[in-house]
Amino acid sequence: MSEEIKGQEKKVVKPYGAENKSKKEEVAEMFDNISAKYDFLNHFLSLGIDKLWRKKAVKLLRKGKPKTILDIATGTGDFALEALKLNPEKIVGLDISQGMLEKGREKMKKRKVDHIISMTLGDSESLPFGDGEFDAITVGFGVRNFENLEKGLGEMLRVLSKGGTAAILEFSKPKKFPVKQAFGFYSRYMIPFIGKMISKDKSAYTYLPESVEAFPEGQEFADILTKVGYKNIRTYLVSGGIATIYLGEKV
């Protein structure tokens, strides 16, 4: 086992910190617990900026004209809905939280797009799909929740078709004043406070800044994508570095 992977193991952050549960189990439990309030809190706490980030990520996929899209860690399907702008034939939203998927299915039926977008229970580290089944993959704020990051990224690459692109949107840590200071204060104090009040789950919104802090970002994450086998990797900082869009291709 490499020193790099050992270092990653030391940084494992879990929502509830139970010794008898894996990170995967705790993440599923956390999202089940907050599923009823997730959409409201997600957009409220981000001041709606997360919608702009997804729009940009989808625009970056437009050149490839993907017909089949897999949205991993889909939650209630916001990224999948945005991906409809690519005019695909099929979108599959996958998540390990049944509670989030149920909310997502309600959303798809209400918007009358459930014939294009299906919501599937599944594990990112053991995807229930064949090799090369999807022209594009999207992940919004989900890879930092993977229990085994390289395994999950490898599974994504396996089900991606040759010439296909994965677009990964994830929080990062701003480096420049005043965004660094403002985001640091907001994520460390305001998000847990507001999240606890509305969701009634203190741990869920304390976990968010902790998981962001522990996650390998920027060039470090790009290097992991390269190690796993992605090619032509590009990174795009958004909103002063609060989040980053990573693109990687299968060649």
Side-chain angles (χ1 to χ4, degrees), residues 58-129:
V58 166
K59 284 181 180 178
L60 291 169
L61 291 173
R62 187 173 292 165
K63 184 179 178 181
K65 299 179 180 178
K67 293 302 179 185
T68 54
I69 300 172
L70 173 62
D71 182 37
I72 293 178
T74 192
T76 63
D78 280 346
F79 219 154
L81 285 167
E82 186 63 35
L84 286 171
K85 292 178 179 177
L86 297 171
N87 298 314
E89 296 171 359
K90 178 180 76 170
I91 301 175
V92 178
L94 179 135
D95 206 282
I96 59 172
S97 167
Q98 191 66 263
M100 297 289 277
L101 289 170
E102 287 172 4
K103 292 294 180 183
R105 291 187 187 108
E106 292 173 8
K107 189 187 293 186
M108 301 312 155
K109 288 179 182 178
K110 185 176 181 181
R111 302 194 185 194
K112 298 180 180 179
V113 294
D114 52 313
H115 62 293
I116 300 176
I117 302 176
S118 61
M119 307 293 277
T120 301
L121 185 69
D123 179 1
S124 61
E125 295 173 24
S126 182
L127 294 173
F129 309 110

Side-chain angles (χ1 to χ4, degrees), residues 164-194:
T165 303
I168 299 167
L169 171 60
E170 190 53 83
F171 284 114
S172 46
K173 298 180 280 290
K175 306 297 189 293
K176 295 182 179 180
F177 177 86
V179 180
K180 175 181 178 179
Q181 288 73 15
F183 181 70
F185 176 83
Y186 186 68
S187 64
R188 192 172 297 114
Y189 300 106
M190 298 305 295
I191 289 177
F193 176 73
I194 298 170

Side-chain angles (χ1 to χ4, degrees), residues 11-31:
K11 295 180 180 179
V12 169
V13 175
K14 300 193 296 183
Y16 304 111
E19 293 183 4
N20 62 336
K21 291 184 179 179
S22 66
K23 178 175 180 177
K24 193 180 303 181
E25 290 172 320
E26 289 203 10
V27 167
E29 179 184 350
M30 176 188 74
F31 282 113

Side-chain angles (χ1 to χ4, degrees), residues 144-159:
R144 75 177 189 284
N145 295 325
F146 288 3
E147 187 161 48
N148 185 319
L149 180 59
E150 290 186 15
K151 187 175 180 181
L153 294 172
E155 271 290 273
M156 288 167 52
L157 188 64
R158 178 183 67 80
V159 303

